[in-house]
Amino acid sequence: MKIIWLDTIDSTNSEALRTLSSLEGGTVLAAFEQTAGRGQRGNRWFVQPGKNLTFSVVLKFEEGQFPAAWSFRLNMLCPLVIARFLRSAGVSAKVKWPNDVYVGRRKICGILVENVLGSDGVSAAVLGIGLNVNQTDFPEVSGATSVRLLTGRDLDLNESLEDISGLFDELLPAVFDDDRWASLFAEYESGLFALGIQAQYVDVASGDEFTGVIRGVTEEGRLRMAVGDEIRLYAFKEVSFIL
Ligand code: BTN
């Protein structure tokens, strides 16, 4: 992957989407500072300049190479890469479905995958990743943590991004290979936050709170949740965790 560092930009995802036609697949756009970082559900992503990693991995696909039905694979790949990187930094993280990375009950990394659809499947994807590295106070958000807070050590942002890019290079081919994908899928499922334990959730459509047990995910990325004797399948944004 080729890493390009930008000084200040509104959002690396927005910049990647704006300049997509001039970017090669495999480019990583990273910013020292984002002035309008974007999060899930239209939220903002607030972090202090120069302390964390905020970057977007740009992928491009040939016609028909990446069926839209596989798009959840990219949402699984990103937190797996980050969890592996964090493990090498001495931090044991879990994936909170679908793609947040948590340590205990605190969020260390948020991910915003944006796909561009072509005439035959996904033609490009922008994998936006915000990883809290050296920041120690989070006045704008509650429940956040960072590598520094967890280990007491600062990490070099350049080197960390090189390592993360290397992990993308290593794991990305598995997305196109069902056998290799099976083992990453298993790694994703077995590392899920709250897997196999009773916890409280809200069914977004009805507003009902319920006790459920996460059992895993389907191939398309729906959450498999046991509620009493029933197994419910939830799509993204249809259920929320009560932390
Ligand atoms: C979330 O809400 O958890 C997703 C946060 C994603 C933030 C990253 S930072 C780099 C990239 N550029 C953005 O504007 N957002 C993503």
Side-chain angles (χ1 to χ4, degrees), residues 49-178:
K51 298 256 175 173
N52 303 298
L53 284 173
T54 48
F55 63 98
S56 302
V57 177
V58 177
L59 302 176
K60 291 192 167 178
F61 307 109
E62 308 280 318
E63 283 286 294
Q65 187 192 8
F66 198 83
W70 286 4
S71 51
F72 195 71
R73 293 188 180 187
L74 297 176
N75 278 291
M76 297 168 112
L77 181 72
C78 294
L80 283 177
V81 162
I82 297 300
R84 284 197 186 190
F85 169 74
L86 287 172
R87 206 173 307 140
S88 72
V91 171
S92 171
K94 296 261 177 202
V95 181
K96 182 167 152 288
W97 178 86
N99 60 14
D100 288 332
V101 184
Y102 268 64
V103 180
R105 294 186 165 265
R106 293 186 180 270
K107 180 162 164 171
I108 194 165
C109 176
I111 291 163
L112 180 65
V113 174
E114 297 187 285
N115 292 322
V116 179
L117 288 178
S119 52
D120 187 9
V122 179
S123 63
V126 173
L127 317 179
I129 300 183
L131 174 63
N132 299 335
V133 183
N134 298 327
Q135 187 168 333
T136 51
D137 57 323
F138 292 87
E140 297 92 348
V141 283
S142 62
T145 192
S146 68
V147 175
R148 168 66 199 269
L149 281 174
L150 292 161
T151 66
R153 279 181 287 118
D154 274 353
L155 294 183
D156 181 283
L157 295 181
N158 273 301
E159 274 174 26
S160 300
L161 189 53
E162 295 276 355
D163 292 350
I164 290 169
S165 301
L167 286 166
F168 270 107
D169 281 329
E170 183 188 330
L171 297 185
L172 189 61
V175 163
F176 307 98
D177 175 332
D178 282 338

Side-chain angles (χ1 to χ4, degrees), residues 1 13 19 30-31 67 87 101 113 124 136 157 180 193 223-224:
M1 302 233 161
N13 266 38
T19 58
R87 206 173 307 140
V101 184
V113 174
T136 51
L157 295 181
R180 284 193 63 190
F193 179 90
L223 189 66
R224 288 195 297 117

Side-chain angles (χ1 to χ4, degrees), residues 72 75-77 79-80 83 87 92-104 184-199 201 213-219 221-226 234 241 243:
F72 195 71
N75 278 291
M76 297 168 112
L77 181 72
L80 283 177
R87 206 173 307 140
S92 171
K94 296 261 177 202
V95 181
K96 182 167 152 288
W97 178 86
N99 60 14
D100 288 332
V101 184
Y102 268 64
V103 180
L184 285 189
F185 185 88
E187 184 177 327
Y188 175 92
E189 266 198 323
S190 62
L192 276 174
F193 179 90
L195 180 73
I197 55 175
Q198 283 206 344
Y201 299 90
V213 179
I214 292 178
R215 292 290 176 212
V217 292
T218 66
E219 289 281 343
R222 290 204 286 168
L223 189 66
R224 288 195 297 117
M225 172 85 79
Y234 282 106
F241 293 65
L243 287 179

